[in-house]
Structures are given as C-alpha cells and as structure tokens.
Amino acid sequence: GAGVSQSPSNKVTEKGKDVELRCDPISGHTALYWYRQRLGQGLEFLIYFQGNSAPDKSGLPSDRFSAERTGESVSTLTIQRTQQEDSAVYLCASSLHRKGADYNSPLHFGNGTRLTVT
Amino acid sequence: AQKVTQAQTEISVVEKEDVTLDCVYETRDTTYYLFWYKQPPSGELVFLIRRNSFDEQNEISGRYSWNFQKSTSSFNFTITASQVVDSAVYFCALLSGGYQKVTFGTGTKLQVIP
C-alpha cells in the first residue's frame, strides 16, 4: 500500500470542537501539501512542507488552522473551534521535490477527509 | 507569483464529440512544470500528465492530447471522441522552479452526455 493515506475518511463534529486530521505521505516524498476543497469548488491551498525548510503557511485561512509535520513523515492538520464554514474535504498530497534535481514529480493525492461541522 | 486560469467552469458535450479544456498560466520563472489532474465523481485526484517548460512538444496518449504553447502561456487538453467515463472535473496545475509550490486552477467540470 504505497499511496498517500489520510484518516479519518469522514469526520462529523460539533461547532466549536477541535479536530485533527492525519496524513501519511508516500515514503521518501519530501514535499507534503494540504488543500481544502469545498463542495463543487476547486482546490484551495492551505500549507506546504518541504523537507526541513520552514513550511509555507500562506494559505491557512485563520489562526484556528495549524499543521505540523515530523521530518519527512506524518503530518497533522488541526482546526480549533471549528465553524460550519470549515466543512469541506481536506486533501493531502505528497511528492518528491529536490531542489536542482528531480523537481518535477507530480503530486500524489490521498482520498481526503470529509469534514462536516454541525 | 504564479497563477492558473481555467476560464471554462462547466462544459457539456455529447458522447463521441471532441472537447478542449483551456488552461492559461502565469509565472515569471523560466523553469516550470505544468500538470493536468482528473477528479471523477468518486473524488480521488488522478494525475494525467506532466510537462516541463523546456519541452514544447505536444503529447498524445490514446484519446487524450495536450497542446503546450509558451507564446500564449497555455496548456490545453483535448479529449477526442469523448466517453461518459470522461465525465469529471479536470484541474490544470503549475509548479514554478523558484516558487516550489503547486498552484491549481479552479477546475473545469466536464459532462459527457450519452
């Protein structure tokens, strides 16, 4: 099973609760992305990790959102005090990006976590 | 900054018709990569093609073909003799050499009617 794995696949939570979403990238992939996709919409960039570099957090919509990644392995996306507008599918993707070398590997996506905030 | 524009929000065609999905990109880098992804109703994103900025050769894969034109900053995708299974949302994406972040267009929803 060498694909990107996300858990849970579905999460229903009450408004105001915190949630944590997990992503297991493909082994050896240096780059990891989180995207949000609202129903019928495109992919909204949230955050990008590349190796040991500082993450690009420019897409996080508010300070209720945070993400961590340990080395080049698992990442968790945390949403605090969830709001109904946070309802969406959260997609994780990984790829092999090495500056100056194999720079063009495509993203491999997980199946996403469908978050519903009631 | 980098940007990808997919001006067509939704397209409907009758089965066996040809259809072209447009993608226009913006980047200041000379080294960049372009991608197309397919998202069928089941939701998973499927990689279709990758093209680097130094290779302007058009590519054909079965019923799929891609037309990369640097002069117009476009990377259009044509499906020949469309089939119902082609119904999906198609995303164009850009990775610039200096930017190191993949940017997606807003997607084009293709509906192939039997």
Side-chain angles (χ1 to χ4, degrees):
Chain A
V4 176
S5 177
Q6 290 188 246
S7 61
S9 54
N10 278 284
K11 176 73 177 177
V12 180
T13 189
E14 291 180 356
K15 178 181 171 181
K17 301 279 190 186
D18 297 351
V19 295
E20 193 171 276
L21 313 180
R22 177 187 169 105
C23 173
D24 280 278
I26 292 172
S27 178
H29 276 192
T30 55
L32 187 147
Y33 297 76
W34 283 98
Y35 290 89
R36 177 168 72 178
Q37 188 175 31
R38 291 196 169 106
L39 187 63
Q41 304 295 311
L43 295 170
E44 178 186 359
F45 167 77
L46 296 177
I47 188 168
Y48 164 61
F49 296 90
Q50 168 59 16
N52 294 319
S53 302
D56 178 346
K57 304 179 182 180
S58 61
L60 295 179
S62 77
D63 59 8
R64 296 187 295 106
F65 288 72
S66 61
E68 292 183 351
R69 187 183 186 195
T70 307
E72 294 183 353
S73 61
V74 170
S75 175
T76 55
L77 176 68
T78 301
I79 308 173
Q80 294 178 310
R81 305 180 303 281
T82 52
Q83 304 292 314
Q84 287 183 330
E85 69 215 37
D86 300 333
S87 296
V89 175
Y90 289 82
L91 290 161
C92 176
S94 71
S95 67
L96 185 59
H97 287 179
R98 282 198 298 267
K99 204 166 189 178
D102 185 19
Y103 207 40
N104 60 353
S105 110
L107 299 185
H108 297 261
F109 282 86
N111 289 330
T113 294
R114 182 176 298 278
L115 175 66
T116 303
V117 182
T118 60
Chain B
Q2 56 184 32
K3 185 179 177 182
V4 176
T5 301
Q6 294 180 256
Q8 303 150 308
T9 307
E10 289 193 40
I11 303 175
S12 288
V13 298
V14 176
E15 201 171 21
K16 297 185 184 175
E17 285 185 348
D18 299 346
V19 59
T20 295
L21 310 181
D22 297 333
C23 173
V24 174
Y25 62 91
E26 293 177 31
T27 179
R28 282 179 277 190
D29 286 301
T30 55
T31 301
Y32 53 89
Y33 301 88
L34 295 160
F35 307 86
W36 276 96
Y37 286 84
K38 174 182 179 180
Q39 188 176 41
S42 54
E44 78 275 20
L45 275 148
V46 178
F47 165 71
L48 295 178
I49 190 171
R50 170 187 63 212
R51 169 70 63 209
N52 75 53
S53 53
F54 298 112
D55 181 3
E56 285 193 73
Q57 271 196 324
N58 291 327
E59 182 157 339
I60 298 174
S61 176
R63 296 184 296 106
Y64 295 171
S65 62
W66 290 269
N67 182 3
F68 176 31
Q69 299 220 341
K70 287 177 78 170
S71 60
T72 55
S73 297
S74 64
F75 186 45
N76 296 338
F77 173 29
T78 296
I79 302 174
T80 303
S82 58
Q83 300 176 1
V84 173
V85 293
D86 297 327
S87 297
V89 180
Y90 291 85
F91 291 97
C92 180
L94 167 68
L95 170 66
S96 288
Y99 202 47
Q100 289 199 63
K101 186 173 78 182
V102 179
T103 299
F104 283 81
T106 50
T108 296
K109 183 176 182 178
L110 173 66
Q111 185 177 16
V112 181
I113 303 165

